[in-house]
Amino acid sequence: MCGIFGYIGNRDAVPIVLEGLKSLEYRGYDSAGVAVVKNGEVGLRRCSGKLSNLKGLLASQPLEGNYGLGHTRWATHGRPTEENAHPHRDCKSRIVVVHNGIIENYLTLKRGLTSEGHQFTTETDTEVIAHLIEKYFDGNLESAVIEALKELRGLFAFSAISADDPQKIVTGRDGPPSVVGRVEGEGFVASDVPALLPHTRDVLFLDDGEIAVIEPGRIRLMDFSGKERELHFNRITWDPVQAEKGGFKHFMLKEIYEQPTAVSETLVGRLSLDSNEVRLDDVGFSVEEWRSFKNVCLIGCGTSWHSGLAGKYMIESLARIPVQVDYGSEFRYRNPVPQPDTLCVVITQSGETADALAAQRKARDMGMKILTITNVVGSMTTRLADGVLHTRAGPEIGVASTKAFATQLTALYMLALQLGRVHGSMTLEQLGAALSELTTLPHKLEKVLELDARIETVAKSLFRSNDFLFLGRGVHFPIALEGALKLKEISYIHAEGYPAGEMKHGPNALIDGNLPVVFVVTQDKDLPESQQRYEKVLNNIREVKSRDGIILSVGIEGDEEVAEASDHYLPVPASSDLLLPILEVVPLQLLAYRIAILRGCDVDQPRNLAKSVTVE
Ligand code: G6P
């Protein structure tokens, strides 16, 4: 949460910093600010609210300078007022700091610094960093930062500049992400990759415990004790244009429409139709290692947890090995019983979610092998993992995850096939059929997107409802959960996902003529248990109908029975049971999007949320 952007070079820093902040605004949008240095003086502008307010302020009170820092805030300590907006300064306004994360011991530090004569002007934890640096500053910024770091506790990423050690940005990380970019005569730092893409694709992800000193065209890396480290750059293959809206009104809509391509990219080079194999060579595990896994533990947060839950159904069905699923925030604070030969799969789009990373470290300490499924090359999760399976969704900017989810499900399905093959639980014929079906997914996704106009009509009749229920069974239950999450995230409508069979144990009491109930009621005609589940869900539909509930169903194309039983029917192409979730979720994403638009909500920047949750 919170976005940091810094620039140093020979160009005018303010427009570059503002452009960088624009692509980081998804991380927080309570307030924003920028500080630059010119002729040895710090200039600073801050205001509450979105970046557009800051732009307005800069139009009437311009700033100039060729190095500086900007920040877009998601408030943790201190209200989202102008005074609490970053950047923060020391007593003499010579040192400037922007920060993402939490300084846990800030109150103790603040008391100590105040008694030493430092004057604080904000309620934030960040301000202590500026005063601590001031305390230790004797002309060299990185040396003062190293001293300050010895006293800071918590999880943080920050950047600092000083008018008295000019032409230098010092940035450090112990928790939230910090990415550095370098081009001839210039240097950049940002909280995430998309902000750097207009300038460079060669980026350096700071490790926890690292400091980068950025000067025009020169970067030095060191640990928190000041010991120099080797630079470790990654090449990002994302196209800068991918991080723009490309004619769509919102990033979320663009990303929903990108799903055929995102899934197709995630499959490229990984399906060997000749040998009936999934090729997960890039993960880096040997066949012996793959065979050694007798249990799987899936960990994720938010939408990534939903894909983990669907992954459980996939792996248990195809590989016949036991799977447990955990929220990162739960796993890290419970006392799990270690199981030998467990593969822990951490699922995280950003690769930087604090709870997922903490759970990953815990699983590693428990002796589990770690595979991470992530969308961001070089992110922290990749450096804590034994193997990496990259989804190739491209940059996801909308706060509500869409294309990342579809690619995570695709990756988990391939993982299930791989485990099924090495454990001998799938025949070559079954593998071959699964692989060729995977190749049809992008086309089927395109067909599902054609439902958008119909969904808009449905949205018009339902957008005034105050509550929604989403129901499904089997692998379709996680999709019901995801449908409910999408709706509540961006439209602020109360929505609950439930296993359809559990309705009679409580939620039935909620049904009346005002309650829309969304059923995921697809079926795989070749699979007897899918048939049985389908029959049961049809019964659930009738139960809701007899109590006057409003029925919206996502079913299989041509299913007259479901169409007749429902008030609204959204058909997806027929598929095998475990691949249907990738198709079913799309109408639910579009439904949430269309309803949120009708309610006038800010889809890409929903209130109180942020895309990258780098604090607990
Ligand atoms: C936030 C985002 C969600 C995302 C979750 C986990 O809550 O708003 O869209 O699913 O974090 O993020 P991750 O990057 O770990 O998948």
Side-chain angles (χ1 to χ4, degrees), residues 399-525:
V399 167
S401 182
T402 53
K403 62 176 178 173
F405 182 65
T407 58
Q408 287 168 349
L409 293 178
T410 308
L412 283 160
Y413 187 79
M414 287 193 286
L415 175 66
L417 293 181
Q418 168 74 354
L419 290 167
R421 186 172 71 88
V422 296
H423 285 283
S425 56
M426 291 185 79
T427 64
L428 276 184
E429 205 189 351
Q430 287 169 325
L431 274 162
L435 295 184
S436 22
E437 202 192 340
L438 270 173
T439 63
T440 66
L441 269 180
H443 176 63
K444 288 180 180 171
L445 280 164
E446 274 162 11
K447 290 218 48 181
V448 180
L449 289 168
E450 288 169 14
L451 291 170
D452 195 4
R454 196 193 294 200
I455 291 169
E456 200 169 358
T457 312
V458 175
K460 279 181 187 149
S461 74
L462 299 180
F463 79 98
R464 289 195 183 83
S465 303
N466 293 324
D467 303 279
F468 270 69
L469 266 181
F470 287 73
L471 303 172
R473 285 181 188 241
V475 72
H476 316 287
F477 161 54
I479 303 308
L481 290 176
E482 178 62 8
L485 177 63
K486 285 303 87 136
L487 189 66
K488 68 185 130 189
E489 271 181 308
I490 60 168
S491 74
Y492 317 143
I493 294 176
H494 167 242
E496 269 189 69
Y498 237 80
E502 289 294 301
M503 285 291 287
K504 52 193 175 287
H505 301 297
N508 268 347
L510 299 173
I511 301 167
D512 61 19
N514 298 317
L515 183 77
V517 184
V518 182
F519 281 94
V520 184
V521 57
T522 50
Q523 60 172 321
D524 174 349
K525 291 199 168 124

Side-chain angles (χ1 to χ4, degrees), residues 292-579:
S292 70
F293 302 133
K294 303 287 185 294
N295 299 283
V296 173
C297 168
L298 297 168
I299 293 175
C301 306
T303 289
S304 297
W305 183 80
H306 292 157
S307 44
L309 190 57
K312 174 182 167 76
Y313 290 90
M314 293 174 181
I315 296 169
E316 287 188 342
S317 292
L318 300 178
R320 306 301 302 141
I321 53 179
V323 181
Q324 56 163 323
V325 191
D326 255 292
Y327 291 104
S329 55
E330 286 295 314
F331 187 85
R332 67 183 292 189
Y333 289 121
R334 71 182 178 84
N335 196 4
V337 180
Q339 303 271 4
D341 307 318
T342 298
L343 171 67
C344 172
V345 183
V346 177
I347 309 159
T348 165
Q349 186 282 129
S350 61
E352 300 287 352
T353 301
D355 284 328
L357 292 178
Q360 181 169 353
R361 287 193 182 94
K362 179 165 180 165
R364 188 186 58 181
D365 294 346
M366 287 169 65
M368 296 184 204
K369 269 260 184 233
I370 312 278
L371 168 66
T372 185
I373 297 181
T374 185
N375 197 35
V376 182
V377 174
S379 55
M380 188 49 114
T381 189
T382 63
R383 266 165 295 133
L384 299 171
D386 301 292
V388 182
L389 180 49
H390 284 113
T391 51
R392 303 187 194 120
E396 192 181 66
I397 315 286
V399 167
S401 182
T402 53
K403 62 176 178 173
F405 182 65
T407 58
Q408 287 168 349
L409 293 178
T410 308
L412 283 160
Y413 187 79
M414 287 193 286
L415 175 66
L417 293 181
Q418 168 74 354
L419 290 167
R421 186 172 71 88
V422 296
H423 285 283
S425 56
M426 291 185 79
T427 64
L428 276 184
E429 205 189 351
Q430 287 169 325
L431 274 162
L435 295 184
S436 22
E437 202 192 340
L438 270 173
T439 63
T440 66
L441 269 180
H443 176 63
K444 288 180 180 171
L445 280 164
E446 274 162 11
K447 290 218 48 181
V448 180
L449 289 168
E450 288 169 14
L451 291 170
D452 195 4
R454 196 193 294 200
I455 291 169
E456 200 169 358
T457 312
V458 175
K460 279 181 187 149
S461 74
L462 299 180
F463 79 98
R464 289 195 183 83
S465 303
N466 293 324
D467 303 279
F468 270 69
L469 266 181
F470 287 73
L471 303 172
R473 285 181 188 241
V475 72
H476 316 287
F477 161 54
I479 303 308
L481 290 176
E482 178 62 8
L485 177 63
K486 285 303 87 136
L487 189 66
K488 68 185 130 189
E489 271 181 308
I490 60 168
S491 74
Y492 317 143
I493 294 176
H494 167 242
E496 269 189 69
Y498 237 80
E502 289 294 301
M503 285 291 287
K504 52 193 175 287
H505 301 297
N508 268 347
L510 299 173
I511 301 167
D512 61 19
N514 298 317
L515 183 77
V517 184
V518 182
F519 281 94
V520 184
V521 57
T522 50
Q523 60 172 321
D524 174 349
K525 291 199 168 124
D526 297 328
L527 194 69
E529 61 262 33
S530 168
Q531 283 299 300
Q532 283 167 8
R533 273 197 315 257
Y534 167 79
E535 296 295 336
K536 304 280 177 213
V537 180
L538 258 179
N539 288 340
N540 296 133
I541 291 183
R542 292 188 183 112
E543 283 158 21
V544 172
K545 196 72 225 155
S546 64
R547 290 166 178 84
D548 296 330
I550 306 160
I551 314 276
L552 165 58
S553 296
V554 175
I556 293 291
E557 273 171 3
D559 190 334
E560 294 304 326
E561 217 171 340
V562 171
E564 262 167 45
S566 313
D567 299 290
H568 309 281
Y569 171 55
L570 300 172
V572 300
S575 277
S576 61
D577 194 45
L578 296 172
L579 284 178

Side-chain angles (χ1 to χ4, degrees), residues 140-185:
N140 180 287
L141 184 58
E142 60 270 28
S143 306
V145 164
I146 288 164
E147 287 309 310
L149 280 168
K150 289 182 186 156
E151 300 188 28
L152 296 173
R153 302 279 164 273
L155 288 172
F156 48 80
F158 70 90
S159 294
I161 53 176
S162 163
D164 298 317
D165 185 7
Q167 295 298 325
K168 190 186 275 180
I169 298 174
V170 176
T171 189
R173 166 183 189 163
D174 198 3
S178 184
V179 197
V180 172
R182 174 190 56 185
V183 283
E184 191 62 37

Side-chain angles (χ1 to χ4, degrees), residues 61-376:
Q61 298 173 38
L63 270 187
E64 271 184 21
N66 52 20
Y67 72 105
L69 299 171
H71 188 269
T72 174
R73 180 168 186 242
W74 189 83
T76 56
H77 290 58
R79 287 161 296 131
T81 57
E82 180 196 332
E83 119 190 316
N84 288 332
H86 300 218
H88 292 293
R89 290 162 293 177
D90 67 331
C91 298
K92 298 185 223 90
S93 286
R94 305 294 292 165
I95 291 164
V96 174
V97 173
V98 287
H99 158 232
N100 172 20
I102 293 173
I103 306 298
E104 282 162 7
N105 59 338
Y106 85 102
L107 276 177
T108 320
L109 291 171
K110 192 170 178 174
R111 264 183 235 119
L113 287 159
T114 308
S115 69
E116 289 167 21
H118 289 263
Q119 279 167 8
F120 283 78
T121 54
T122 77
E123 297 165 334
T124 67
D125 51 343
T126 308
E127 201 184 347
V128 298
I129 309 178
H131 289 282
L132 264 184
I133 296 176
E134 177 185 23
K135 173 173 168 180
Y136 293 112
F137 188 82
D138 65 0
N140 180 287
L141 184 58
E142 60 270 28
S143 306
V145 164
I146 288 164
E147 287 309 310
L149 280 168
K150 289 182 186 156
E151 300 188 28
L152 296 173
R153 302 279 164 273
L155 288 172
F156 48 80
F158 70 90
S159 294
I161 53 176
S162 163
D164 298 317
D165 185 7
Q167 295 298 325
K168 190 186 275 180
I169 298 174
V170 176
T171 189
R173 166 183 189 163
D174 198 3
S178 184
V179 197
V180 172
R182 174 190 56 185
V183 283
E184 191 62 37
E186 296 182 311
F188 302 86
V189 59
S191 300
D192 203 354
V193 175
L196 295 178
L197 289 179
H199 309 286
T200 178
R201 292 200 207 170
D202 292 312
V203 303
L204 184 151
F205 286 85
L206 252 63
D207 259 329
D208 278 347
E210 281 185 343
I211 298 168
V213 181
I214 308 165
E215 290 158 302
R218 178 175 183 233
I219 292 167
R220 283 177 289 137
L221 195 64
M222 54 189 73
D223 65 18
F224 278 6
S225 70
K227 200 159 146 248
E228 295 271 337
R229 284 196 174 171
E230 246 179 69
L231 298 175
H232 45 78
F233 275 87
N234 280 278
R235 176 97 182 138
I236 303 294
T237 53
W238 293 348
D239 187 329
V241 179
Q242 283 181 287
E244 289 165 15
K245 282 190 205 149
F248 284 88
K249 206 164 169 222
H250 295 98
F251 279 112
M252 182 182 178
L253 189 62
K254 173 176 175 258
E255 288 160 5
I256 291 173
Y257 272 82
E258 280 174 344
Q259 290 179 109
T261 315
V263 166
S264 165
E265 287 290 321
T266 302
L267 293 172
V268 165
R270 287 174 170 155
L271 308 181
S272 171
L273 296 169
D274 297 340
S275 57
N276 290 339
E277 275 175 289
V278 227
R279 305 300 306 257
L280 299 185
D281 309 355
D282 52 333
V283 168
F285 290 159
S286 65
V287 177
E288 290 67 40
E289 279 176 305
W290 280 114
R291 273 205 197 105
S292 70
F293 302 133
K294 303 287 185 294
N295 299 283
V296 173
C297 168
L298 297 168
I299 293 175
C301 306
T303 289
S304 297
W305 183 80
H306 292 157
S307 44
L309 190 57
K312 174 182 167 76
Y313 290 90
M314 293 174 181
I315 296 169
E316 287 188 342
S317 292
L318 300 178
R320 306 301 302 141
I321 53 179
V323 181
Q324 56 163 323
V325 191
D326 255 292
Y327 291 104
S329 55
E330 286 295 314
F331 187 85
R332 67 183 292 189
Y333 289 121
R334 71 182 178 84
N335 196 4
V337 180
Q339 303 271 4
D341 307 318
T342 298
L343 171 67
C344 172
V345 183
V346 177
I347 309 159
T348 165
Q349 186 282 129
S350 61
E352 300 287 352
T353 301
D355 284 328
L357 292 178
Q360 181 169 353
R361 287 193 182 94
K362 179 165 180 165
R364 188 186 58 181
D365 294 346
M366 287 169 65
M368 296 184 204
K369 269 260 184 233
I370 312 278
L371 168 66
T372 185
I373 297 181
T374 185
N375 197 35
V376 182

